[in-house]
């Protein structure tokens, strides 16, 4: 484990990489002995900095590594999570400058907008559905402040689970849908880039949100009414390029798009 001074140093390294849009070597190379607990503390240091020094507001959370394939790749047996901030909110009608990020990618997600606070310990998928105001088509913009995406589990956790932005559509009441059976397809122009189903996310996206509620409760973090929860991607992540528009189409939910300039 790292001491507090080394954790602060690691947080500053990531802040500098984001500010300069210049990715750095993996933290596992720069800070010997770093583990998952260190990484979550480093993530929180930078979230607190953005809230206190920059006036950012927490708008929700995201789950990463929600598929067995990604967990096996990272050598872990559970997902990870990060924070969503108001500064990360993107719009379908406003192109995103690709050069503002280090190595941007998009992921296709079924988002949950909470209409009530979620319980923490003991939270179930049924609790999630009861508390959800609507599920929404979503694209998450991910980015890595680690060079060439050479990330370990500690690297991505510390780097706010590689989160960078998100855009959502209107959505529907989750009780009107079988979330596990929703099919999602990502296209750009005439090209189909990726496809998947809701059950690629821990078998059920609502189960992923319940996992998150139980996990963050251990750190005294509640999932509140009005928060957006991104439970993990239905498809593989896709690199983005300036001048292209990426559209995710969901059965029963409709489309959501993000353009880059």
């Amino acid at each position: 484990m790292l001491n507090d001074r080394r954790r602060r140093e690691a947080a500053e390294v990531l802040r500098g990489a984001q500010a300069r849009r210049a990715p750095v070597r993996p933290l596992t190379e720069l800070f010997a002995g770093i583990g998952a607990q260190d990484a979550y503390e480093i993530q929180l240091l930078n979230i607190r900095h953005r809230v206190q020094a920059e006036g950012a507001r927490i708008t929700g959370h995201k789950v990463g590594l929600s598929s067995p394939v990604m967990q096996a790749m990272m050598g872990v047996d559970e997902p990870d999570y990060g924070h969503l901030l108001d500064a990360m909110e993107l719009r379908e009608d406003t192109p995103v400058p690709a050069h503002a990020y280090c190595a941007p990618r998009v992921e296709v997600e079924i988002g949950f907008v909470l209409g009530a606070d979620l319980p923490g310990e003991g939270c179930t998928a049924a609790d999630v559905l009861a508390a959800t105001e609507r599920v929404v088509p979503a694209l998450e913009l991910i980015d890595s402040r680690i060079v060439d995406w050479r990330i370990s589990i500690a690297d991505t956790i510390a780097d706010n689970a590689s989160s960078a932005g998100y855009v959502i559509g209107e959505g529907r009441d989750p009780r009107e849908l079988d979330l596990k059976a929703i099919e999602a397809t990502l296209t750009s122009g005439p090209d189909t880039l990726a496809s998947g189903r809701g059950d690629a996310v821990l078998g059920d996206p609502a189960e992923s949100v319940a996992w998150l509620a139980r996990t963050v409760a251990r750190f005294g973090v509640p999932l509140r009414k009005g928060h957006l929860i991104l439970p993990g991607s239905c498809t593989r992540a896709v690199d983005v390029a300036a001048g292209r528009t990426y559209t995710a189409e969901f059965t029963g939910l409709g489309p959501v798009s993000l353009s880059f300039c």
Side-chain angles (χ1 to χ4, degrees):
M1 291 183 63
L2 305 181
N3 59 33
D4 288 344
R5 178 181 61 82
R6 294 290 278 166
R7 288 174 176 174
R8 289 193 297 272
E9 290 174 357
E12 289 170 2
V13 165
L14 288 175
R15 285 204 303 274
Q18 182 168 0
R20 295 189 301 273
R21 293 188 287 282
V24 296
R25 289 167 50 202
L27 298 187
T28 46
E29 295 179 7
L30 298 174
F31 297 88
I34 186 173
Q37 183 174 337
D38 297 310
Y40 278 120
E41 293 295 337
I42 292 164
Q43 179 187 136
L44 283 171
L45 284 170
N46 278 336
I47 293 299
R48 290 179 187 132
H49 180 271
R50 294 191 68 176
V51 169
Q52 296 168 4
E54 301 174 14
R57 178 173 53 87
I58 295 172
T59 55
H61 290 78
K62 64 156 288 183
V63 179
L65 307 180
S66 57
S67 74
V69 171
M70 289 303 298
Q71 290 176 21
M73 188 182 299
M74 288 291 180
V76 297
D77 58 5
E78 69 174 16
D80 68 348
Y81 70 87
H83 292 70
L84 302 178
L85 303 174
D86 58 344
M88 298 179 185
E89 295 177 15
L90 304 172
R91 294 174 55 92
E92 290 190 88
D93 60 359
T94 304
V96 177
H99 68 268
Y101 302 90
C102 297
R105 298 172 174 175
V106 289
E107 291 187 331
V108 176
E109 312 228 3
I110 300 168
F112 291 68
V113 177
L114 299 181
D117 295 355
L118 278 179
E121 184 178 353
C123 183
T124 67
D127 294 326
V128 171
L129 294 178
T132 298
E133 177 182 287
R134 68 188 194 278
V135 289
V136 294
L139 283 171
E140 183 185 5
L141 175 60
I142 60 173
D143 193 21
S144 182
R145 277 58 69 166
I146 305 300
V147 68
D148 296 329
W149 281 93
R150 289 195 290 120
I151 54 175
S152 69
I153 185 63
D155 293 303
T156 187
I157 290 173
D159 196 20
N160 196 29
S162 305
S163 190
Y166 60 89
V167 62
I168 63 173
E170 290 300 318
R172 291 177 57 186
D173 186 321
R175 288 160 288 272
E176 298 174 354
L177 300 165
D178 179 355
L179 301 182
K180 301 184 293 295
I182 290 175
E183 296 183 356
T185 303
L186 180 67
T187 60
S188 181
D191 302 322
T192 298
L193 304 177
S195 61
R197 278 172 45 112
D199 56 8
V201 182
L202 290 186
D204 181 348
E207 291 285 0
S208 181
V209 179
W211 171 87
L212 177 65
R214 295 191 300 269
T215 301
V216 297
R218 300 201 299 262
F219 299 92
V221 176
L223 301 186
R224 297 289 196 192
K225 176 181 178 179
H227 277 181
L228 169 67
I229 310 299
L230 298 178
S233 183
C234 304
T235 71
R236 67 179 180 87
V238 172
D239 294 337
V240 303
R244 301 196 72 176
T245 296
Y246 300 83
T247 300
E249 180 81 44
F250 300 77
T251 57
L253 279 181
V256 65
S257 296
L258 199 57
S259 298
F260 291 84
C261 60

